[in-house]
Amino acid sequence: DAVFLFRMTLWLSPNYPNARYNLGGCYVRMGKMAEGKAALMKALAQDPNNLDIRFMLASADPSALSASQRPTTMPMSIVTGFFTSSADGYDLAEAANKYQAGKVMHDLLKPHVKETAPVILDLGCGSGIAARPWRSTASSIHGVDVTPAMAALANEATHEQKKLFDVVTVADARTLPAEFAAGTADAVLVVNMAQFVGDLAPIMKTAHAALKAGGVVAITTEPMKLTAGFGLLQETSRFGHTAMYVKQTANEAGLTLVHESPLQLYSGIPVAAYVFSKGSK
């Protein structure tokens, strides 16, 4: 229905703002990449500096853009738009999808956390699913999310009749929030968000800045079939990361690999999970 309406709009007004971008986006979501690319190429010609159009075009066909033009991160408007639209009923939807990130990430990370009452920083916290198992032992949990609607869910979340987060900050998780003191975290969670970020260097630097000596960061990524680097996955329009890239980026930020394994955040859908440490006590 949307494709029909956008095509009708363009028939009536060929230069109608955003119509070609929206039409191309519809085609990409339908898996019609050739049609999507054609519409998005015309949209980009109309608006050459539009990052949303570039991102969607790269999703349809990465070779359509030069290497210097290809996106290295998902535009913030797409991230916030998606999660704003998903906020209503988010937890129920994730439960229906058998999202088990809280338990599996807690089981993975807990043996590497040295403090019995750790300070937790959850970057890209969403509604707080990954943080919940930590509430019974954590001395404090600080959540950061760029989407106000998701941060509101986190701020209202409870676990075992306790308020889940001590502090929730609406901010870009690639930068350490001013409300969080550097060098105080025992564990940093970066769970199910790398695919929305792309370039992991800022996240790794933020994790390193947040952690105390001996602290650890857990991160999950969607694998991709490349020998190095990261890039957009055509089938999902999200970023995939090679293991080599993740480990190299962490190392450059001053973090040391202590664990690597496949993991299932959703039943039957494997991701790569890593734990990195900031030196030792």
Side-chain angles (χ1 to χ4, degrees):
D1 289 345
V3 166
F4 171 78
L5 291 172
F6 287 128
R7 290 183 65 185
M8 181 62 71
T9 299
L10 289 165
W11 182 72
L12 294 169
S13 179
N15 295 316
Y16 195 86
N18 294 324
R20 292 193 187 280
Y21 166 66
N22 290 327
L23 175 61
C26 288
Y27 279 134
V28 169
R29 295 302 182 208
M30 294 167 68
K32 296 183 176 181
M33 298 302 178
E35 293 91 335
K37 176 182 176 181
L40 291 165
M41 289 290 285
K42 292 179 181 178
L44 190 62
Q46 287 180 318
D47 191 359
N49 296 318
N50 189 306
L51 297 180
D52 290 18
I53 296 174
R54 287 190 187 182
F55 180 85
M56 197 60 68
L57 180 56
S59 299
D61 181 4
S63 66
L65 296 169
S66 67
S68 62
Q69 290 181 312
R70 291 170 196 162
T72 58
T73 191
M74 188 177 289
M76 199 61 70
S77 57
I78 293 179
V79 175
T80 56
F82 173 76
F83 282 104
T84 298
S85 66
S86 303
D88 187 23
Y90 181 82
D91 281 6
L92 290 175
E94 289 294 64
N97 290 330
K98 299 182 179 180
Y99 185 53
Q100 53 193 0
K103 181 182 186 307
V104 297
M105 291 305 296
H106 183 263
D107 291 347
L108 174 77
L109 188 59
K110 191 173 185 296
H112 303 285
V113 177
K114 298 178 180 180
E115 298 294 334
T116 56
V119 173
I120 307 294
L121 176 63
D122 189 354
L123 298 176
C125 65
S127 65
I129 294 174
R132 286 172 195 168
W134 295 97
R135 183 67 281 178
S136 59
T137 58
S139 62
S140 68
I141 306 178
H142 190 130
V144 182
D145 202 281
V146 74
T147 305
M150 296 303 291
L153 292 179
N155 205 34
E156 296 167 2
T158 60
H159 184 68
E160 296 180 350
Q161 300 181 333
K162 296 179 182 178
K163 185 173 173 61
L164 177 56
F165 289 98
D166 297 276
V167 180
V168 177
T169 301
V170 179
D172 187 336
R174 292 172 293 187
T175 303
L176 189 67
E179 301 93 327
F180 192 89
T184 61
D186 295 293
V188 174
L189 308 178
V190 186
V191 180
N192 205 28
M193 73 164 288
Q195 62 268 31
F196 300 104
V197 174
D199 179 6
L200 296 182
I203 284 284
M204 295 297 189
K205 292 176 183 176
T206 295
H208 184 273
L211 289 169
K212 63 175 63 171
V216 289
V217 53
I219 182 168
T220 64
T221 65
E222 295 185 0
M224 68 179 307
K225 296 176 181 178
L226 288 177
T227 56
F230 69 98
L232 274 171
L233 301 172
Q234 193 175 55
E235 60 270 25
T236 64
S237 295
R238 299 194 298 262
F239 287 97
H241 301 81
T242 64
M244 181 185 297
Y245 169 79
V246 177
K247 288 181 275 191
Q248 179 181 346
T249 307
N251 182 65
E252 290 171 352
L255 299 167
T256 303
L257 179 70
V258 297
H259 179 85
E260 175 186 2
S261 65
L263 203 66
Q264 292 189 6
L265 303 182
Y266 296 92
S267 181
I269 304 176
V271 299
Y274 307 86
V275 178
F276 297 97
S277 171
K278 181 179 178 177
S280 59
K281 291 185 177 179

